[in-house]
Amino acid sequence: MLGAAAAEAHPHVWITARSELIYAPDGTITGVRHAWTFDDMFSTYALQGIEAKTKGAYTREELAPLAQTNVESLKEFAYFTFAKADGKKQKFAEPVDYFLEYKNTELTLHFTLPAKTPFKTRQLALEVFDPAFFIDFKYADKDPVKLVGAPADCKMQFQRPNDGTASAQQLGEQNFLNGDSANFGAMFANKIVVECP
């Protein structure tokens, strides 16, 4: 459902994202909670064939099979969530607490990615992006990222991608024909950096 096509150089699905970094009381990072709102066109497409008791309204229960399909299909793409603790890659376990919500003609997928092994770090770098750029992740203008339970002296920086048009023009079609598009989407990564003394 959320598959990526490597030969495509522009997005087909647009997501407005919000993320929360979850900390244990001792300052250990235990996971990331995402809320991804899909564009209305994709939302309409995804809802085809789903019966709702109330026209134009879908309950969490009615959307549960679609939510499961969504999180299962994200696995092969590492959930588009890439973390490094003090420069060392971190892995996530399969999503928990996932559900879909339907509001104002848009679907929002909520899910929590537990850290495979909870970890403490002085610097956490978290990026959310689609390497193939099939999906365009734009973080919400208001409250895009929150630290939940983080030690008081932790500081967060959030960096939105530049629009990448200059780089995209330099790359051009030839790169895609040569198969060099494996990580094209990294130019459009949203970067969250948390420093804890």
Side-chain angles (χ1 to χ4, degrees), residues 38-92:
F38 298 99
D39 64 273
D40 54 359
M41 216 160 73
F42 180 80
S43 296
T44 302
Y45 169 76
L47 289 167
Q48 286 180 355
I50 295 178
E51 295 293 321
K53 281 190 182 131
T54 310
K55 185 169 172 50
Y58 297 87
T59 65
R60 227 186 245 198
E61 292 73 31
E62 290 165 340
L63 295 171
L66 180 59
Q68 184 175 350
T69 301
N70 282 180
V71 294
E72 285 172 357
S73 68
L74 289 171
K75 185 176 181 177
E76 76 176 277
F77 305 105
Y79 309 101
F80 302 114
T81 305
F82 309 94
K84 284 185 180 174
D86 294 328
K88 190 176 170 214
K89 277 188 183 173
Q90 297 298 313
K91 291 194 177 341
F92 294 101

Side-chain angles (χ1 to χ4, degrees), residues 114-163:
K116 213 161 204 157
T117 309
F119 57 92
K120 269 190 169 178
T121 182
R122 290 176 65 87
Q123 185 188 68
L124 170 71
L126 185 83
E127 294 185 337
V128 176
F129 69 98
D130 175 2
F133 200 48
F134 185 83
I135 299 170
D136 181 9
F137 288 92
K138 177 190 182 296
Y139 267 75
D141 294 329
K142 190 171 187 251
D143 299 325
V145 182
K146 287 184 184 169
L147 303 183
V148 179
D153 48 3
C154 289
K155 304 272 184 271
M156 180 188 66
Q157 287 184 321
F158 175 60
Q159 184 184 341
R160 295 177 190 275
N162 57 20
D163 69 6

Side-chain angles (χ1 to χ4, degrees), residues 22 32-34 71 79 93-99 110-114:
I22 306 162
V32 180
R33 188 178 303 128
H34 288 305
V71 294
Y79 309 101
E94 297 198 0
V96 295
D97 304 331
Y98 57 84
F99 64 93
H110 298 265
F111 65 102
T112 300
L113 282 177

